[in-house]
Amino acid sequence: MMKRLFFLIAGMTVTLVAQAQPSAGSFSVIPRLGVNFANLTNNEVVTDLMNQTQTLKSRIKPGVVAGVDVEYQATNELSLSLGMHYSQQGSRFPDFERKDDGLVEGFSDWHNDFDYLNVPLVFGYRIVKGFSVKAGVQLGMLLSAKEHVSYTEIIPLEDGSRQQGDAVPRESDISETCKKVDLSIPLGVSYEFENVIIDARYLFGLSNIYKTDLVKSRNSVVQLSVGYRFQL
């Protein structure tokens, strides 16, 4: 009796494991939700305060990524997926001050918000059960581009103190200065367990996001997401 029970449990386990891995020739739908850690290359501002010039580079800006992939399992190891993802990207700067005509301006909460609809075409190769490496090409379509910054006027006084005004927030639509299409290369790894897929990617931007050639910045995004496989 115990031997039959053991073989029954073992058989069920093997069946569940087999079902967890998509079979060759099958299609799957994978909704996913995650977070972006985005920045722009060659993105900097120059400050001039107290006769000291300093260049500040932009920093990572977090955002959300959400969407769905349709995946075709060509062989037991090789897969091809086509996705559609809403992706919040951009960059941010640390707070700083800059001298302008004898006055000092303070800049705070400076960040750029770029919303994209990304369409990644990704090849996956299963190294061992559950683990895959991925690479492909991604087309991004710009949905919106906005710049946010708060200005504060600071007046130096004769006694060495400073009179600081209220922070004035400003938001600008910079969509007309940005290209509508962005091309990038997604590279990553994923781990799948019982249809749950943990995916880590780096989106290597190839396109200058701005229309002018005077400023050449590319998207640079680390993306972490969790998805669930519905095998068709």
Side-chain angles (χ1 to χ4, degrees):
M1 182 65 179
M2 291 298 294
K3 185 180 294 186
R4 290 181 180 179
L5 182 61
F6 171 79
F7 283 115
L8 178 61
I9 294 175
M12 292 176 62
T13 302
V14 170
T15 301
L16 288 174
V17 171
Q19 290 177 348
Q21 301 295 325
S23 56
S26 65
F27 285 88
S28 301
V29 176
I30 307 171
R32 64 176 68 251
L33 178 65
V35 60
N36 286 336
F37 299 95
N39 202 348
L40 297 174
T41 64
N42 194 30
N43 192 35
E44 57 190 31
V45 294
V46 178
T47 68
D48 184 6
L49 186 64
M50 304 304 179
N51 298 321
Q52 292 184 351
T53 300
Q54 182 181 10
T55 300
L56 299 177
K57 295 184 179 296
S58 62
R59 297 180 178 180
I60 289 174
K61 173 186 172 294
V64 172
V65 59
V68 63
D69 295 333
V70 176
E71 184 179 272
Y72 173 66
Q73 192 70 37
T75 68
N76 289 333
E77 293 81 22
L78 187 64
S79 64
L80 176 65
S81 67
L82 181 65
M84 184 171 291
H85 303 161
Y86 166 71
S87 183
Q88 295 178 340
Q89 299 171 204
S91 65
R92 66 183 181 89
F93 287 99
D95 297 347
F96 66 94
E97 296 178 359
R98 184 161 60 190
K99 191 174 182 180
D100 185 18
D101 294 333
L103 298 179
V104 177
E105 286 184 314
F107 296 80
S108 60
D109 193 29
W110 189 351
H111 59 277
N112 294 327
D113 296 332
F114 297 95
D115 292 346
Y116 285 94
L117 180 63
N118 290 332
V119 181
L121 179 65
V122 177
F123 291 91
Y125 185 81
R126 188 184 302 160
I127 302 175
V128 294
K129 185 174 67 177
F131 286 96
S132 298
V133 293
K134 298 181 177 182
V137 63
Q138 177 174 279
L139 180 68
M141 291 165 283
L142 184 67
L143 301 177
S144 67
K146 295 181 179 180
E147 181 180 68
H148 305 259
V149 62
S150 292
Y151 297 93
T152 305
E153 187 178 271
I154 303 170
I155 303 176
L157 302 179
E158 293 181 356
D159 60 1
S161 62
R162 305 195 306 173
Q163 180 180 336
Q164 182 169 322
D166 296 329
V168 180
R170 296 182 184 177
E171 179 180 286
S172 304
D173 189 334
I174 58 174
S175 300
E176 293 303 317
T177 66
C178 301
K179 292 182 178 179
K180 305 304 181 185
V181 176
D182 177 69
L183 189 64
S184 61
I185 295 178
L187 303 170
V189 295
S190 69
Y191 175 70
E192 181 173 355
F193 178 73
E194 294 186 355
N195 293 344
V196 176
I197 303 172
I198 300 174
D199 189 281
R201 297 183 186 182
Y202 175 66
L203 307 182
F204 180 80
L206 299 177
S207 307
N208 180 12
I209 68 167
Y210 296 111
K211 292 180 179 179
T212 176
D213 289 333
L214 297 177
V215 180
K216 295 184 179 180
S217 292
R218 297 178 284 103
N219 281 304
S220 175
V221 184
V222 174
Q223 188 177 95
L224 303 176
S225 66
V226 177
Y228 190 86
R229 181 186 302 278
F230 294 94
Q231 190 163 336
L232 303 179

